Amino acid sequence: MEQARRFPDVPFIIGHFGKIMFLDAIRSAEMCPNVYLETSGAQVCDLQMAVERIGYDRILYGTDLPIGGAPSAHWNVVKIKSAVPDPVALAAILGGNAIRLMDRKHLAFQ
């Protein structure tokens, strides 16, 4: 979180939803608007908590591919759908947020 505060214009993505430190990951996102959470390590209740506390616009779909193969990717979609029933939020998490994040004008590769 120190780096996210130091560089507020740089997006930071916490992979695997922080795994066992998911509460710290959610708190970091609450405190730093440039922190995003990636869903591969999240449980349904973790996702629900994050949506309640930070909203859905900084949650990014992710899988552990190639680990687990297609069934793992499918499970991640099912998990998100069960945690986030709102179709607008679901579309954002499953790709809209990543597209918006990658479309930022200040990214170095543009």
Side-chain angles (χ1 to χ4, degrees), residues 73-104:
H74 177 72
W75 159 242
N76 276 290
V77 172
V78 170
K79 171 180 68 175
I80 295 165
K81 284 182 176 180
S82 67
V84 184
D86 175 53
V88 173
L90 186 62
I93 292 169
L94 292 178
N97 293 338
I99 291 168
R100 183 176 41 79
L101 182 62
M102 289 185 280
D103 193 40
R104 293 168 62 132

Side-chain angles (χ1 to χ4, degrees), residues 52-64:
E52 288 172 11
R53 290 174 65 174
I54 67 166
Y56 61 82
D57 62 328
R58 288 185 289 133
I59 300 174
L60 305 170
Y61 171 71
T63 70
D64 281 330

